[in-house]
Amino acid sequence: MLYLYALVDSAAALPDDVELVSIDGIGAVVGEIDDVVDPTDEQVLSHARVVDQVAALNDAVLPVRFGRGFPELHELEAALARLAPRLEERLRAVRGCVELGVHVVGTVEPPTQSELGADYMRRRLREVAEAEAIADEIHVPLAERARESTRSGSTGPTALLRAAYLVPRGDVDAFCAAVERARGRHPSLTFACTGPWPPYSFADLEEGVR
Amino acid sequence: MTSDLPLAEQVTLIELVDRVLNKGVVIAGDITLAVADVDLVYLGLRVLLTSVASLDRVEEQQA
């Protein structure tokens, strides 16, 4: 069986212990395995390590989701040939970019003893609306600095924003400075900026307009 | 991997696992090569789910 790690250009450089299957300009980074993999944390980290190594060697990498593959080589080749135009488009989109994740977390006050139910509901509604406005105020300028962005749906006052940004390598420092400025504008909120990651959140063909 | 890790490292690890398991391209026609449900990985990492970031994840799973 062929275990899939990432999709790349057909001329991609590879780390040791993996192979390249190329067709129509698209390369699949695969490992030969005898049996299904256990979804343990070690296996997940090992998958991530191979994707990291491939991303370090190449400009355009589409990470594949954990635990996917093809029983036979000809099935993989057929799938690559069928999807080549769309994979090429995605490779072009992520070329030269890394993914940065931004989480913004706030706090919610529980209802006080004296607060009536209706008052509490009104306060919560107001807080949700305020949280949305703050999330937009943080997200929009960051998205403008990114080639693409993706944002989880409304998360409420505890998790204000959970988003990923596709950023050209050369713009990472400027992007992080923009995150720092947002942090400075909202000293009461907790910011977590993670990455740079290979562009996991921007690799899927099924996602629509971002 | 314990909850003694600094918050930033915990968040990074959770973010990593989330990406590897839930993001990334899936090619039509492929098969799953992982025997059990990937929720097991979250169980394996449950010691980490004590941080601020875990609130986020729990909320997402309930949504």
Side-chain angles (χ1 to χ4, degrees), chain A residues 20-73:
Chain A
L20 194 68
V21 173
S22 290
I23 203 149
D24 290 351
I26 306 292
V29 180
V30 301
E32 179 76 45
I33 60 170
D34 297 328
D35 201 359
V36 290
V37 293
D38 293 323
T40 59
D41 44 358
E42 287 85 3
Q43 292 288 352
V44 170
L45 295 179
S46 145
H47 178 105
R49 206 168 298 124
V50 173
V51 172
D52 277 349
Q53 288 168 348
V54 175
L57 293 169
N58 300 282
D59 241 14
V61 173
L62 301 175
V64 173
R65 197 171 302 183
F66 175 77
R68 316 296 303 194
F70 287 82
E72 303 285 346
L73 177 62

Side-chain angles (χ1 to χ4, degrees), chain A residues 184-206:
Chain A
R185 289 197 302 273
H186 301 283
S188 66
L189 302 176
T190 303
F191 279 65
C193 188
T194 63
W197 307 101
Y200 283 96
S201 302
F202 302 94
D204 203 357
L205 302 175
E206 301 308 316

Side-chain angles (χ1 to χ4, degrees), chain A residues 1 7 36-39 45 47 63-70 82-83 99 103 155 158-159 162 194 197 200 203, chain B residues 1 11-12 15-16 18-36 41 52 56 59:
Chain A
M1 292 184 291
L7 300 170
V36 290
V37 293
D38 293 323
L45 295 179
H47 178 105
V64 173
R65 197 171 302 183
F66 175 77
R68 316 296 303 194
F70 287 82
R82 193 173 60 243
L83 293 170
E99 173 178 337
H103 273 222
T155 41
T158 52
R162 182 180 175 138
T194 63
W197 307 101
Y200 283 96
Chain B
M1 283 190 204
V11 172
T12 296
E15 287 280 281
L16 169 70
D18 183 46
R19 280 176 170 75
V20 175
L21 296 185
N22 301 320
K23 316 282 180 181
V25 59
V26 175
I27 302 216
D30 73 346
I31 58 163
T32 300
L33 296 179
V35 274
V41 177
V52 138
D56 205 353
E59 275 184 358

